[in-house]
C-alpha cells in the first residue's frame, strides 16, 4: 500500500510540467493597416475562440510611418509574428532574409488566389507571403458635369483620344473646374497613374530578368507627351486632395482607388459619380497591387502564425470583412465569383479592372525605382522637360540602381560587432579621464583630493549612465556606421572608408538638399529673430491687453507640428485662405494654385509656417532679456534727452547681446535641422522643391535602406552646423575680446 501511494504521488507531480505546458498560451503579435481596429479585434476574438491556446496581440499601423516602424523593428530584431505588408514591400523584405519562407504552405493554396496577385508574394521562385486584399485603380467621373457639358454619363472615355476630348469639353464648359487630376508631390502616387498609360501602349520598364532597364523609347515618349497635354487642364495635387476635390465637385475625372467608395458618400452624399475602366491606348490596363500577410523569420511560433494567416485569408473571414465596406476586394477567386460581389456595381468594376491589371516588377529596390519614376514624371509636368531627355535620364538612373544592386548581392553581410562600439566608447572615456587628470595636475599639482573626486563622480553617475546609454553610444555607433555599407535590413558588408561621404557629397540630390537648407536658414532666421524682438519690445512697453497679446503670440509654440501642418496645408490648398485672399484682392493665383504643390512656392510656404511656429519662443527669451536691463540706464538716457532709436541702439541692443547670441544659436540649429514641417506637409516634394538635409537623411536611411550613407549625412550636417555656430559666435563676441 505504501509503495502504491508513493507511485501515485510521483506520477501526479511528474505530470505537472505537461499540464502547465498544455495550459500555456502562445501569444502572437499582429500588425495591420487595413481593417478598422474595432472590427479586426472582433475577428481576432473569434480566432482565439477557435484556437484557445493562441492569444493575438494586435497593433494598428498607419500608412504615413508604418513602413518606417517595420524597418526599424527588423533592424532592432523585435519584429511582430504576422504583419500586413504592401505588395511593393514584400520583395525587399524577402530578399533581406526578414520573412519566413512559406513555399510549402503556398503550394497547397496558390490555386485559391487570383493568379495576378501571386507575383506580389514571390521572390526567387519562393513564396514569402499570402495575398490578402486585391487592389487596383479605376476611372472615377462626375456624371452631373458630364451631363452639363453635353457628354453621355453612361459612356465614359475608353482610350487616350476620347479622354483628351472629354477633358477639352469639360474645360470649355467649366473654366473654373478641373477636368482631370494628376497626383504629384509623393513618391508612390505619380507612377501609379502614369504606368497604366505606359503599359496600355505596350511598354515595359525592364527585361524579363530584371537586370536591365530598357523601356521602349517611342512608347515612353508618346505617353509622357500625352501626360503633359493632360496636365494643362488638370489639378496637380496629392492623391488625398484629389479625392477630396472630386468629392466636392471640383474635379471632373480622376484615377483612384476603392477607398473613395466610402469617402465620397461621407463628404458629399449628393454627388452622382460613375466608375469605368482606366482609358488606355491599346488596352485598358491598370495598376494591380494589394495587401499581403507575411510571417517574420524571427517568430518563435511559425506554425501558430500560419494558423492566423490561414484564418485571416479564409473565404469566411474575407467575406466578413467585405461586408463591412464596399472597397474591400478579396484575393480569393471563389469569393470574387459569388453573386454577392458581382451584384454590387461599384465592386464589380474593380473586379473587372483586375482582369486587365498589371503588377509591378518584383524588385527589392522598388523604393528607389519609384522615386526616379516620380521624379521624371514631375519634372516633365512642372519644368516641361522634353520627353526624350526624360527618357534618357530615367534609363540611366534605373540602370545605375540595378547595377549597384547586382554588385551588392555578391557581398556577404554580417551584423556590426558591438565590441567595436564598446571599445570606441571606452577609448573616448579614457581620453576624457586622461585630459581631466592632466588638467588637475597642471592647475593643482600632483597631489589631489581623490576622495572629493570620487564623491563628485558618484553624484554624476546617474547623468553619466544616461549620457553613455542615450547619447554617447548612439553617437559612436552611428559614426562607425558612416564608414560601413550598412543596411537596416541586411546588416553590413564591411568598412568602406570615406566612400559614403564622397558619394553623398557627389549626389545631386544632396547638393540640392544642402542648397534648400541654406535658403531655409537664411529666410527664416533673420525674419523670426526680428519678429520676436519687435514683439518683445511691444510687450515690454506695457500696451493695453499686454498679457493677452503675449499669450496669443506664444500660443503657436504649444501647438503640435502635425496639427499646425494640417491647418496650414488647408490654408495653402486651392480652396484655402491664401488663395481666397488673392481672389479678394483680384490678384492672379499661382499655378498650380495649391501652394504646397507649386515648386516655386512650396519652400516659402513651409518657411512661413516655421516662422509662425517658432518666433514666440524667441520672443519670450527677448522679453526676459529686456526685463533684465537696469532701468537706471534707460531713465538716465531719457533725462539726457536721448531719442528712442538711440536708446534702443546704444543701450538696449548691447545689453541684449547675450540673449541675441543665444537666440541666433538656437535658431540656426533649428533651421538646419528642419524636418517635421517638411515630413508632415510636403515630404520633400513637389519635385524635390522642399528637400532638406534632414529629410534627405531620413529618405536615404529609411526609404533606400542605406543607413551608412544616412549616418554620413548626419555628420556632414554636424560639421556644417558647427562651422556656422563658431562663425556666428566669433563674430558676435568680437567686440568683447577687443574691449579686454
Amino acid at each position: 500500500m505504501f509503495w502504491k501511494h508513493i507511485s501515485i504521488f510521483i506520477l501526479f507531480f511528474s505530470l505537472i510540467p505537461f499540464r502547465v505546458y498544455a495550459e500555456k498560451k502562445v501569444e502572437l503579435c499582429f500588425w495591420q493597416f487595413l481593417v478598422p481596429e474595432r472590427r479586426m479585434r472582433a475577428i481576432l476574438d473569434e480566432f482565439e475562440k477557435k484556437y484557445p491556446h493562441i492569444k493575438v496581440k494586435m497593433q494598428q499601423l498607419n500608412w504615413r510611418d508604418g513602413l518606417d516602424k517595420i524597418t526599424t523593428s527588423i533592424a532592432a530584431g523585435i519584429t511582430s509574428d504576422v504583419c500586413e505588408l504592401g505588395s511593393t514591400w514584400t520583395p525587399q523584405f524577402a530578399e533581406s532574409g526578414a520573412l519566413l519562407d512559406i513555399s510549402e504552405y503556398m503550394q497547397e493554396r496558390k490555386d485559391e488566389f487570383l493568379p495576378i496577385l501571386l507575383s506580389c508574394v514571390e521572390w526567387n521562385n519562393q513564396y514569402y507571403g499570402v495575398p490578402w486584399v486585391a487592389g487596383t485603380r479605376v476611372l472615377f467621373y462626375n456624371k452631373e458635369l458630364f451631363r452639363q457639358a453635353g457628354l453621355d454619363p453612361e459612356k465614359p472615355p475608353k482610350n487616350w483620344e476620347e479622354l483628351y476630348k472629354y477633358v477639352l469639353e469639360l474645360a470649355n464648359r467649366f473654366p473654373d473646374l478641373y477636368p482631370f487630376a494628376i497626383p504629384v508631390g509623393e513618391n508612390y502616387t505619380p507612377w501609379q497613374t502614369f504606368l497604366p498609360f505606359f503599359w496600355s501602349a505596350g511598354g515595359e520598364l525592364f527585361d524579363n530578368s530584371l537586370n536591365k532597364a530598357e523601356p521602349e523609347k517611342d512608347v515612353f515618349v508618346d505617353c509622357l507627351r500625352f501626360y503633359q497635354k493632360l496636365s494643362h487642364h488638370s489639378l496637380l495635387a496629392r492623391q488625398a486632395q484629389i479625392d477630396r476635390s472630386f468629392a466636392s465637385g471640383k474635379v471632373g475625372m480622376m484615377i483612384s482607388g476603392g477607398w473613395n467608395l466610402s469617402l465620397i458618400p461621407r463628404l458629399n452624399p449628393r454627388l452622382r459619380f460613375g466608375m469605368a475602366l482606366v482609358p488606355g491606348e491599346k488596352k485598358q490596363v491598370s495598376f494591380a497591387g494589394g495587401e499581403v500577410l507575411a510571417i517574420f523569420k524571427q517568430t518563435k511560433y511559425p506554425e501558430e502564425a500560419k494558423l492566423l494567416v490561414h484564418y485571416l485569408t479564409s473565404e469566411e473571414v474575407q467575406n466578413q470583412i467585405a461586408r463591412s465596406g464596399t472597397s474591400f476586394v478579396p484575393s480569393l477567386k471563389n469569393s470574387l465569383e459569388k453573386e454577392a460581389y458581382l451584384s454590387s456595381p461599384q465592386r464589380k468594376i474593380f473586379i473587372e479592372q483586375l482582369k486587365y491589371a498589371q503588377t509591378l516588377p518584383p524588385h527589392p529596390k522598388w523604393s528607389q525605382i519609384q522615386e526616379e519614376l516620380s521624379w521624371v514624371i514631375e519634372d516633365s509636368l512642372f519644368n516641361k522637360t522634353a520627353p526624350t531627355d526624360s527618357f534618357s535620364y530615367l534609363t540611366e538612373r534605373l540602370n545605375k540602381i540595378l547595377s549597384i544592386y547586382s554588385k551588392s548581392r555578391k557581398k556577404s553581410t554580417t551584423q556590426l560587432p558591438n565590441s567595436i562600439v564598446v571599445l570606441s566608447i571606452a577609448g573616448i572615456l579614457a581620453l576624457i579621464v586622461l585630459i581631466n587628470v592632466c588638467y588637475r595636475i597642471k592647475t593643482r599639482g600632483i597631489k589631489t583630493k581623490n576622495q572629493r573626486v570620487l564623491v563628485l563622480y558618484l553624484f554624476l553617475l546617474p547623468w553619466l549612465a544616461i549620457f553613455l546609454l542615450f547619447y554617447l553610444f548612439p553617437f559612436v555607433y552611428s559614426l562607425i556606421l558612416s564608414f560601413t555599407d550598412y543596411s537596416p535590413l541586411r546588416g553590413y558588408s564591411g568598412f568602406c572608408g570615406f566612400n559614403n561621404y564622397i558619394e553623398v557629397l557627389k549626389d545631386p540630390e544632396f547638393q540640392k538638399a544642402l542648397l534648400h537648407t541654406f535658403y531655409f536658414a537664411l529666410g527664416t532666421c533673420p525674419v523670426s529673430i526680428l519678429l520676436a524682438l519687435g514683439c518683445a519690445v511691444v510687450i515690454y512697453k506695457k500696451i493695453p491687453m499686454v498679457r493677452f497679446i503675449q499669450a496669443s503670440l506664444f500660443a503657436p509654440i504649444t501647438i503640435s507640428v502635425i496639427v499646425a501642418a494640417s491647418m496650414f496645408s488647408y490654408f495653402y490648398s486651392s480652396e484655402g485662405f491664401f488663395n481666397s485672399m488673392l481672389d479678394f484682392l483680384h490678384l492672379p493665383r499661382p499655378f498650380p494654385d495649391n501652394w504646397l504643390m507649386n515648386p516655386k512656392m512650396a519652400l516659402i510656404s513651409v518657411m512661413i509656417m516655421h516662422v509662425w511656429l517658432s518666433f514666440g519662443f524667441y520672443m519670450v527669451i527677448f522679453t526676459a532679456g529686456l526685463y533684465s536691463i537696469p532701468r537706471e540706464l534707460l531713465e538716465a538716457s531719457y533725462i539726457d534727452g536721448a531719442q528712442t532709436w538711440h536708446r534702443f541702439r546704444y543701450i538696449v541692443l548691447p545689453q541684449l547681446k547675450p540673449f541675441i547670441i543665444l537666440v541666433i544659436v538656437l535658431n540656426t540649429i533649428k533651421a538646419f535641422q528642419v524636418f517635421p514641417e517638411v515630413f508632415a506637409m510636403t515630404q520633400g516634394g513637389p519635385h524635390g522643391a522642399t528637400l532638406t538635409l534632414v529629410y534627405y537623411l531620413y529618405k536615404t536611411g529609411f526609404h533606400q535602406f542605406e543607413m551608412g550613407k544616412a549616418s554620413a549625412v548626419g555628420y556632414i550636417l554636424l560639421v556644417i552646423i558647427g562651422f556656422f555656430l563658431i562663425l556666428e559666435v566669433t563674430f558676435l563676441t568680437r567686440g568683447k575680446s577687443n574691449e579686454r
Side-chain angles (χ1 to χ4, degrees):
M1 182 64 68
F2 173 75
W3 291 107
K4 181 180 179 181
H5 287 295
I6 290 294
S7 301
I8 295 173
F9 180 80
I10 294 173
L11 180 62
F12 174 77
F13 280 97
S14 66
L15 290 175
I16 286 179
F18 295 101
R19 292 176 59 194
V20 172
Y21 179 79
E23 293 174 359
K24 183 180 179 181
K25 285 190 174 182
V26 172
E27 184 174 272
L28 295 178
C29 184
F30 174 45
W31 293 352
Q32 66 100 24
F33 297 84
L34 181 68
V35 184
E37 187 172 1
R38 185 177 298 179
R39 184 67 176 167
M40 178 53 70
R41 186 66 260 174
I43 293 172
L44 295 177
D45 289 342
E46 292 297 323
F47 171 78
E48 292 175 356
K49 291 179 182 178
K50 187 174 181 180
Y51 300 98
H53 67 289
I54 303 177
K55 178 75 174 176
V56 182
K57 183 180 179 182
M58 185 195 71
Q59 184 169 352
Q60 192 81 17
L61 302 180
N62 63 76
W63 292 109
R64 178 177 289 274
D65 57 4
L67 179 59
D68 300 341
K69 179 179 176 63
I70 295 171
T71 304
T72 307
S73 69
I74 293 174
I78 49 174
T79 59
S80 63
D81 297 286
V82 180
C83 184
E84 175 189 346
L85 301 176
S87 57
T88 59
W89 305 346
T90 309
Q92 63 192 17
F93 289 130
E95 188 263 351
S96 68
L99 302 183
L100 184 69
D101 184 353
I102 56 172
S103 299
E104 186 177 347
Y105 169 79
M106 278 299 294
Q107 288 297 336
E108 300 175 358
R109 292 198 64 195
K110 66 179 184 179
D111 293 336
E112 301 177 21
F113 301 98
L114 291 173
I116 195 174
L117 300 179
L118 293 177
S119 62
C120 299
V121 296
E122 188 178 2
W123 169 249
N124 274 353
N125 299 320
Q126 303 292 327
Y127 290 102
Y128 292 92
V130 181
W132 190 27
V133 182
T136 187
R137 304 288 185 270
V138 299
L139 178 71
F140 288 77
Y141 62 95
N142 190 317
K143 287 188 173 183
E144 185 59 30
L145 293 182
F146 270 38
R147 186 186 63 79
Q148 295 181 23
L151 302 172
D152 189 346
E154 305 304 324
K155 292 183 178 180
K158 295 182 179 181
N159 51 51
W160 291 5
E161 183 181 355
E162 290 183 2
L163 176 62
Y164 191 64
K165 176 185 175 182
Y166 279 42
V167 164
L168 292 180
E169 291 290 340
L170 291 172
N172 294 331
R173 179 66 177 81
F174 306 104
D176 296 332
L177 301 180
Y178 295 98
F180 195 68
I182 296 176
V184 294
E186 297 167 302
N187 289 327
Y188 52 88
T189 54
W191 60 265
Q192 291 180 355
T193 304
F194 175 80
L195 277 186
F197 284 96
F198 180 59
W199 289 333
S200 73
E204 292 292 343
L205 285 177
F206 306 106
D207 59 6
N208 294 331
S209 63
L210 301 182
N211 292 325
K212 185 179 180 181
E214 46 182 17
E216 293 79 356
K217 182 176 181 180
D218 294 339
V219 175
F220 185 87
V221 168
D222 291 344
C223 184
L224 201 55
R225 188 174 290 119
F226 174 72
Y227 220 56
Q228 288 178 330
K229 287 171 57 179
L230 284 178
S231 68
H232 296 308
H233 310 283
S234 299
L235 170 64
L236 304 181
R238 288 187 181 183
Q239 188 67 59
Q241 187 196 344
I242 289 174
D243 296 336
R244 292 195 301 270
S245 298
F246 180 84
S248 64
K250 296 181 179 179
V251 171
M253 292 178 287
M254 69 172 181
I255 297 174
S256 192
W259 57 84
N260 287 288
L261 299 181
S262 57
L263 176 69
I264 295 174
R266 188 171 71 248
L267 297 179
N268 189 358
R270 297 182 179 180
L271 182 69
R272 293 180 62 249
F273 69 95
M275 295 184 297
L277 302 182
V278 174
E281 182 67 357
K282 297 179 180 178
K283 50 185 177 179
Q284 294 181 275
V285 183
S286 183
F287 156 68
E291 310 304 317
V292 172
L293 292 180
I295 302 173
F296 282 111
K297 200 172 185 178
Q298 295 178 349
T299 181
K300 297 178 181 179
Y301 313 106
E303 297 305 320
E304 287 79 3
K306 289 179 185 177
L307 287 176
L308 177 59
V309 171
H310 188 87
Y311 180 79
L312 293 175
T313 56
S314 65
E315 186 174 349
E316 176 187 356
V317 174
Q318 288 209 350
N319 293 342
Q320 186 179 350
I321 298 175
R323 284 194 293 270
S324 64
T326 55
S327 61
F328 183 89
V329 180
S331 59
L332 295 172
K333 290 189 291 187
N334 288 342
S335 295
L336 297 180
E337 293 170 358
K338 290 185 178 298
E339 184 63 28
Y341 291 93
L342 298 177
S343 61
S344 170
Q346 295 176 325
R347 185 179 277 123
K348 184 177 180 180
I349 192 65
F350 282 94
I351 297 174
E352 183 69 17
Q353 183 68 81
L354 280 171
K355 298 178 182 178
Y356 308 100
Q358 186 169 334
T359 56
L360 295 170
H363 199 282
K365 290 297 181 181
W366 180 254
S367 58
Q368 296 183 36
I369 293 170
Q370 71 175 4
E371 288 183 8
E372 298 298 342
L373 268 172
S374 297
W375 175 272
V376 166
I377 293 167
E378 292 181 354
D379 187 52
S380 66
L381 297 181
F382 291 124
N383 299 332
K384 309 303 179 186
T385 304
T388 51
D389 295 337
S390 299
F391 172 82
S392 301
Y393 174 84
L394 179 65
T395 305
E396 178 185 353
R397 295 292 294 181
L398 293 186
N399 280 315
K400 183 178 180 180
I401 292 173
L402 297 179
S403 175
I404 294 174
Y405 169 71
S406 298
K407 293 177 182 178
S408 66
R409 289 190 67 185
K410 300 176 182 178
K411 298 180 181 179
S412 59
T413 58
T414 59
Q415 294 300 316
L416 184 66
N418 289 329
S419 58
I420 296 177
V421 184
V422 173
L423 289 174
S424 302
I425 293 176
I428 293 174
L429 292 176
L431 182 62
I432 293 173
V433 172
L434 180 63
I435 293 173
N436 188 25
V437 170
C438 293
Y439 175 77
R440 294 179 66 82
I441 290 174
K442 180 180 178 181
T443 56
R444 301 188 182 184
I446 298 177
K447 294 183 179 179
T448 59
K449 297 181 180 180
N450 295 327
Q451 188 175 1
R452 290 186 60 188
V453 174
L454 180 62
V455 172
L456 174 64
Y457 280 107
L458 283 175
F459 276 103
L460 287 176
L461 191 59
W463 176 85
L464 282 174
I466 295 174
F467 174 76
L468 288 174
L469 186 61
F470 296 105
Y471 291 91
L472 188 58
F473 181 83
F475 179 85
V476 175
Y477 195 87
S478 59
L479 179 60
I480 296 173
L481 287 186
S482 69
F483 297 101
T484 66
D485 291 324
Y486 179 77
S487 166
L489 299 181
R490 299 181 54 136
Y492 88 110
S493 58
F495 286 89
C496 61
F498 288 93
N499 285 348
N500 286 333
Y501 291 88
I502 295 172
E503 289 183 17
V504 164
L505 292 173
K506 288 182 177 179
D507 188 359
E509 272 206 326
F510 171 82
Q511 298 168 8
K512 192 172 185 178
L514 180 62
L515 188 63
H516 291 163
T517 305
F518 280 143
Y519 284 159
F520 192 92
L522 290 173
T524 57
C525 289
V527 174
S528 57
I529 291 173
L530 292 175
L531 189 60
L533 182 59
C535 293
V537 171
V538 171
I539 292 171
Y540 180 74
K541 288 188 174 183
K542 303 291 184 182
I543 62 174
M545 302 178 66
V546 63
R547 295 300 178 194
F548 173 77
I549 295 175
Q550 186 176 14
S552 301
L553 294 174
F554 184 75
I557 295 296
T558 64
I559 299 176
S560 166
V561 176
I562 301 299
V563 174
S566 300
M567 182 173 64
F568 271 81
S569 294
Y570 174 74
F571 290 162
Y572 291 134
S573 65
S574 301
E575 63 275 7
F577 172 77
F578 291 104
N579 279 321
S580 299
M581 288 298 298
L582 292 177
D583 294 340
F584 178 77
L585 297 173
H586 301 287
L587 296 175
R589 292 187 176 194
F591 179 80
D593 59 1
N594 184 328
W595 292 24
L596 295 178
M597 292 298 104
N598 189 317
K600 296 179 180 179
M601 302 292 298
L603 188 61
I604 297 174
S605 302
V606 178
M607 290 164 62
I608 292 173
M609 194 198 80
H610 178 84
V611 170
W612 180 80
L613 272 177
S614 60
F615 87 93
F617 174 70
Y618 308 129
M619 178 195 70
V620 172
I621 296 177
F622 282 135
T623 303
L626 288 172
Y627 279 108
S628 69
I629 299 175
R631 297 192 65 83
E632 294 82 2
L633 294 177
L634 297 174
E635 291 173 356
S637 63
Y638 182 78
I639 292 172
D640 291 341
Q643 297 179 357
T644 302
W645 166 246
H646 290 94
R647 288 202 302 273
F648 181 79
R649 169 68 180 82
Y650 295 105
I651 296 177
V652 175
L653 281 183
Q655 293 294 320
L656 282 179
K657 198 167 188 179
F659 298 91
I660 294 174
I661 293 174
L662 174 63
V663 168
I664 289 177
V665 168
L666 294 176
N667 206 349
T668 301
I669 294 174
K670 191 170 184 179
F672 273 95
Q673 292 182 341
V674 60
F675 174 74
E677 295 91 335
V678 175
F679 178 80
M681 297 178 73
T682 63
Q683 297 181 353
H687 194 48
T690 58
L691 184 66
T692 58
L693 282 179
V694 179
Y695 192 83
Y696 174 83
L697 183 156
Y698 162 78
K699 187 178 73 168
T700 303
F702 290 95
H703 287 181
Q704 300 177 1
F705 307 111
E706 296 178 343
M707 199 61 72
K709 286 186 180 180
S711 300
V713 175
Y715 285 96
I716 292 173
L717 179 61
L718 175 65
V719 171
I720 292 173
I721 293 176
F723 171 77
F724 277 96
L725 291 184
I726 292 172
L727 195 66
E728 291 170 349
V729 173
T730 302
F731 177 77
L732 292 172
T733 57
R734 185 177 55 181
K736 289 186 178 181
S737 60
N738 291 338
E739 290 174 5
R740 292 177 185 174

